[in-house]
Amino acid sequence: MENQKLLTTNEAAKYLGVSRSSLSNWIRQGQLNGGVTPGGHYRFTTEELDEFAKKRGLLPATRENSRILVIDDDEAFREFVTDALTDFTGYELRTAPDGMKGALLIGSWKPDLIVLDIRMPQMNGQELLALIRENPESADSCVVIASAHLSPELTAELEKLSPQAILEKPVRLAKFIATIQKLLDLPFA
């Protein structure tokens, strides 16, 4: 168990193919136990989750690829992301040119990671991020903000919506790749 990767609550929910709220309910009801960090966060082994899934008649999620959705009205940035990820495998990439189209893809495609611009037509990124966090189906989505229009005030407002990262454009390639690698652990091609 020492060398075994421990899954966070979000990762455990994804592994089981359930929402984070379902997983949290099982923890509160004492049906699922895991280790607890000194900070009070639950961690799970895949063996614990497999045993729980077997007892409950659940099967672990079998989707092989991570899904990345880039929502940005700047076509050059969408191409930058596509080019930046060419050295990796294990992902599917989709893009949306505005917040409304992005919102529809979030609901239908269920991405694992969302790269989100702030200034966009139809619905800006801050409004979309607020909707993502309000919806129980997407509340725990992994979101990376990438914007050229960040002020200290806007950054503080965005941080209240708990994105996993906030990157200022122009984004350096190495920083972008390191952020995505850390969040999704994509293997090299």
Side-chain angles (χ1 to χ4, degrees), residues 145-185:
I145 301 291
S147 178
H149 306 286
L150 294 172
S151 66
E153 297 80 20
L154 178 58
T155 300
E157 287 298 312
L158 292 169
E159 286 174 348
K160 292 177 187 175
L161 297 169
S162 303
Q164 278 61 36
I166 299 176
L167 304 175
E168 188 164 4
K169 290 180 184 176
V171 179
R172 292 182 177 266
L173 180 62
K175 184 169 186 166
F176 181 78
I177 289 173
T179 300
I180 301 303
Q181 257 306 114
K182 178 182 173 192
L183 294 171
L184 290 180
D185 197 26

Side-chain angles (χ1 to χ4, degrees), residues 65-140:
N65 293 330
S66 294
R67 294 178 174 183
I68 302 171
L69 174 60
V70 179
I71 307 171
D72 197 311
D73 61 330
D74 182 356
E75 185 175 346
F77 184 76
R78 294 192 310 264
E79 289 176 12
F80 166 80
V81 174
T82 302
D83 292 345
L85 295 174
T86 57
D87 290 336
F88 298 94
T89 61
Y91 72 93
E92 297 173 50
L93 178 69
R94 290 195 183 173
T95 63
D98 63 61
M100 290 298 283
K101 289 183 176 124
L104 292 172
L105 273 172
I106 290 167
S108 64
W109 192 53
K110 313 262 188 269
D112 298 302
L113 176 89
I114 302 163
V115 179
L116 182 60
D117 187 22
I118 293 301
R119 285 195 180 172
M120 295 183 293
Q122 308 268 339
M123 179 188 300
N124 72 43
Q126 187 175 5
E127 293 167 332
L128 180 54
L129 182 52
L131 286 175
I132 290 168
R133 295 298 185 231
E134 289 171 10
N135 183 338
E137 289 295 311
S138 63
D140 296 317

